[in-house]
């Protein structure tokens, strides 16, 4: 999860050269491209230096690890940087103002889309939730936002795009939005307002803060750099662990095993991976290298997508945070509906793609 | 001068608290620092993202831990 780069602090614009900052950014992008193009030769060279038999399972696993680790780091840095800049144009306050006048339906679509670009941190989920409701955003629309914001994030999309391909990234985006919109609509129709904890409705909320001082180009680049430091600093252990597991699967798990366990003909594999994924908590950076290795070993795409979504979107820590504002039955309904949505996505994908 | 740190106890909120104390010490400010962890009270400032920094009742920074220098700027501006 990310903590937000948006800030109400007054930027110190004095004595900073815009040309220099933009030039530095372009230079950074050029260096990035140069390094990225050399990753495979580097990994092959590094493996050849190590005392490992050339053809063998260990060789395969180590090559996977040495190639994927710098690749994931580079991809993540670029995507998080760009997304940090995009996010500097949005703030929770602005999103709330945009959603407050909306009705169900279109409002759910807007909420799910804004969930992708609004800076969001799971530690802010509760104040955000109350802030939305107090501004008159309907409960169902608030849920659409709360589902899409953690699930469809820059880390997940960027890594899927880089490691698995643009088709899967696009599928993840569209299906994730679909789940957020549909679950929010269903929850809105159920009129569960009395499932909120009593103190939530009693809470007095001050009017929203006005937007901070206007951001300059430098501030936005800085927001990107901050996002990189913040997110990479937080997710790198997950990433290394995820790539390690991916490398193990890549080198040692026989294709026949996964091909049959996670194939689309095994009807119970989708509910099984969702049940497995909900209590598991990892962020996208940890789970996507695993997904990459699973897909390559012949696991069905729908099953892998359902697994990823369950791990990223539904987790015990999130349940504990939301329990502060939702009574147990509403919390259960919320998790149940999202889980059903993920199941449908898994089956649908397995049926449509071969 | 009264400084309030708004946050429900995540690691960022702790960092902001420590850094604010460090900034105040470097500036030799005489101030009272209070940590606000009650969500209802946090919401009463109109803040939707934590951590947030409030100086003399005014929200100065939301959803971010500023660098030590920025914090010093914020504290001297008042």
């Amino acid at each position: 999860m990310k903590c937000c780069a948006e800030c109400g602090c007054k930027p110190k614009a004095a004595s900073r050269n815009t040309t220099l900052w933009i030039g530095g950014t372009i230079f950074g992008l050029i260096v990035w491209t140069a390094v990225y193009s050399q990753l495979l030769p580097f990994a092959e060279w590094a493996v050849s230096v190590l005392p490992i038999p050339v053809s063998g399972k260990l060789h395969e696993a180590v090559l996977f690890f040495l190639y994927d680790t710098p690749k994931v780091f580079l991809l993540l840095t670029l995507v998080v940087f760009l997304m940090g800049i995009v996010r500097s144009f949005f703030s929770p306050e602005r999103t709330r103002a945009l959603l407050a006048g909306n009705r169900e339906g279109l409002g759910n679509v807007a909420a799910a889309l804004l969930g992708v670009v609004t800076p969001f941190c799971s530690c802010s989920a509760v104040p955000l939730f109350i802030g939305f409701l107090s501004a008159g955003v309907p409960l169902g629309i608030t849920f659409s936002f709360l589902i899409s914001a953690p699930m469809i994030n820059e880390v997940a999309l960027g890594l899927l795009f880089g490691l698995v391909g643009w088709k899967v990234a696009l599928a993840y985006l569209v299906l994730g939005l679909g789940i957020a919109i549909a679950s929010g609509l269903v929850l809105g129709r159920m009129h569960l307002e009395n499932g909120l904890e009593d103190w939530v409705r009693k809470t007095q909320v001050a009017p929203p803060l006005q937007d901070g001082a206007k951001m300059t180009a430098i501030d936005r680049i800085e927001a990107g750099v901050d996002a990189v430091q913040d997110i990479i600093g937080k997710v790198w252990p997950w990433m290394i662990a995820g790539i390690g597991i991916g490398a193990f699967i890549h080198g040692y798990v026989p294709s026949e095993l996964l091909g049959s366990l996670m194939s689309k003909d095994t009807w119970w594999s989708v509910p099984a991976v969702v049940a497995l994924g909900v209590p598991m908590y990892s962020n996208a950076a940890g789970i996507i290298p695993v997904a990459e290795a699973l897909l390559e070993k012949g696991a069905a795409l729908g099953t892998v997508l359902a697994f990823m979504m369950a791990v990223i979107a539904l987790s015990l820590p999130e349940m504990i945070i939301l329990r502060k504002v939702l009574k147990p039955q509403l919390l259960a309904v919320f998790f149940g509906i999202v889980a059903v949505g993920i199941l449908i996505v898994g089956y649908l994908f397995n049926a449509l793609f071969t | 001068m009264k400084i309030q740190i708004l946050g429900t106890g995540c690691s960022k909120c702790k960092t902001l608290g420590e850094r604010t104390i460090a900034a105040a010490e470097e500036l030799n400010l005489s101030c009272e620092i209070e940590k606000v962890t009650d969500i209802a009270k946090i919401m009463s400032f109109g803040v939707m993202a934590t951590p947030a920094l409030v100086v003399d009742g005014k929200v100065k920074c939301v959803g971010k831990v500023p660098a030590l220098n920025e914090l010093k700027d914020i504290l001297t501006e008042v």
Side-chain angles (χ1 to χ4, degrees):
Chain A
M1 283 311 127
K2 53 250 152 228
C3 258
C4 330
E6 184 74 24
C7 177
C9 318
K10 223 176 184 176
K12 291 271 147 193
S15 77
R16 292 201 302 187
N17 187 333
T18 308
T19 327
L20 209 64
W21 276 79
I22 292 176
T25 306
I26 293 170
F27 179 72
L29 291 175
I30 293 169
V31 171
W32 187 95
T33 315
V35 174
Y36 192 80
S37 66
Q38 293 307 312
L39 286 180
L40 191 58
F42 166 77
E44 279 165 352
W45 168 80
V47 176
S48 70
V49 171
L50 293 169
I52 297 171
V54 174
S55 55
K57 288 176 176 170
L58 186 62
H59 181 266
E60 285 289 303
V62 172
L63 186 64
F64 183 95
F65 188 82
L66 288 179
Y67 175 58
D68 258 26
T69 308
K71 185 175 173 181
V72 168
F73 263 98
L74 281 175
L75 277 173
L76 206 58
T77 305
L78 182 68
V79 174
V80 168
F81 174 72
L82 294 178
M83 200 62 182
I85 293 178
V86 171
R87 286 203 160 145
S88 70
F89 290 91
F90 294 84
S91 70
E93 286 75 23
R94 186 179 285 180
T95 296
R96 173 166 83 166
L98 285 172
L99 291 178
N102 269 303
R103 287 174 170 271
E104 278 180 1
L106 207 60
N108 293 84
V109 178
L113 288 171
L114 285 166
V116 180
V117 290
T118 307
F120 175 82
C121 160
S122 59
C123 52
S124 300
V126 167
L128 204 78
F129 185 84
I130 299 172
F132 274 30
L133 289 182
S134 71
V137 180
L139 188 59
I141 293 179
T142 305
F143 273 125
S144 282
F145 180 87
L146 267 190
I147 295 166
S148 94
M151 178 159 65
I152 312 169
N153 57 55
E154 69 272 37
V155 177
L157 290 177
L159 288 184
L160 277 177
F161 179 80
L163 294 179
V164 194
W166 67 270
K167 284 180 192 161
V168 177
L170 188 68
Y172 185 85
L173 173 69
V174 172
L175 295 170
L177 286 172
I179 291 176
I181 294 166
S183 306
L185 275 174
V186 172
L187 284 159
R189 285 291 152 82
M190 291 168 84
H191 296 292
L192 294 160
E193 277 75 7
N194 56 1
L196 296 173
E197 285 291 346
D198 298 325
W199 67 270
V200 171
R201 272 174 295 173
K202 286 185 202 131
T203 301
Q204 293 295 310
V205 180
L209 297 164
Q210 68 282 21
D211 263 340
K214 193 137 177 54
M215 291 180 95
T216 61
I218 297 179
D219 293 325
R220 298 195 192 282
I221 295 174
E222 242 183 3
V225 175
D226 282 351
V228 170
Q229 286 178 343
D230 191 40
I231 294 179
I232 307 279
K234 222 178 295 172
V235 303
W236 71 266
W238 295 95
M239 248 161 61
I240 304 271
I243 298 168
I245 296 171
F248 177 79
I249 296 174
H250 178 82
Y252 291 92
V253 177
S255 305
E256 306 80 56
L257 179 71
L258 270 178
S260 64
L261 271 185
M262 292 182 80
S263 87
K264 64 196 192 87
D265 300 322
T266 317
W267 67 268
W268 49 265
S269 70
V270 175
V273 295
V274 172
L276 193 71
V278 171
M280 270 175 73
Y281 172 71
S282 161
N283 47 47
I287 201 70
I288 289 171
V290 178
E292 178 197 9
L294 288 174
L295 283 173
E296 184 199 68
K297 288 280 171 174
L301 184 56
T303 311
V304 173
L305 277 176
F307 180 57
M308 278 174 44
M309 285 178 167
V311 170
I312 300 172
L314 298 176
S315 69
L316 284 179
E318 196 199 353
M319 206 183 273
I320 292 163
I321 290 175
L322 287 178
R323 174 66 191 85
K324 289 181 191 163
V325 284
L326 306 180
K327 286 180 182 164
Q329 66 270 35
L330 178 50
L331 187 68
V333 171
F334 172 71
F335 265 69
I337 287 177
V338 177
V340 168
I342 294 175
L343 282 181
I344 294 173
V345 161
Y347 280 123
L348 197 70
F349 245 69
N350 281 349
L352 292 177
F353 293 84
T354 31
Chain B
M1 169 182 229
K2 188 178 181 189
I3 300 173
Q4 286 161 305
I5 313 280
L6 315 186
T8 45
C10 60
S11 61
K12 299 210 127 207
C13 316
K14 286 185 195 123
T15 316
L16 179 64
E18 286 159 14
R19 209 173 280 175
T20 309
I21 293 170
E25 273 173 7
E26 281 190 34
L27 294 166
N28 273 324
L29 289 176
S30 63
C31 59
E32 178 198 338
I33 295 181
E34 183 199 357
K35 284 194 178 161
V36 181
T37 52
D38 179 48
I39 292 177
K41 213 168 167 195
I42 292 175
M43 298 303 300
S44 72
F45 287 97
V47 164
M48 281 202 298
T50 54
L53 180 68
V54 176
V55 181
D56 289 334
K58 275 190 185 156
V59 179
K60 290 291 177 187
C61 180
V62 176
K64 162 174 172 173
V65 183
L68 189 63
N69 283 336
E70 279 177 72
L71 270 176
K72 286 190 345 207
D73 287 339
I74 293 170
L75 293 180
T76 43
E77 258 173 27
V78 183

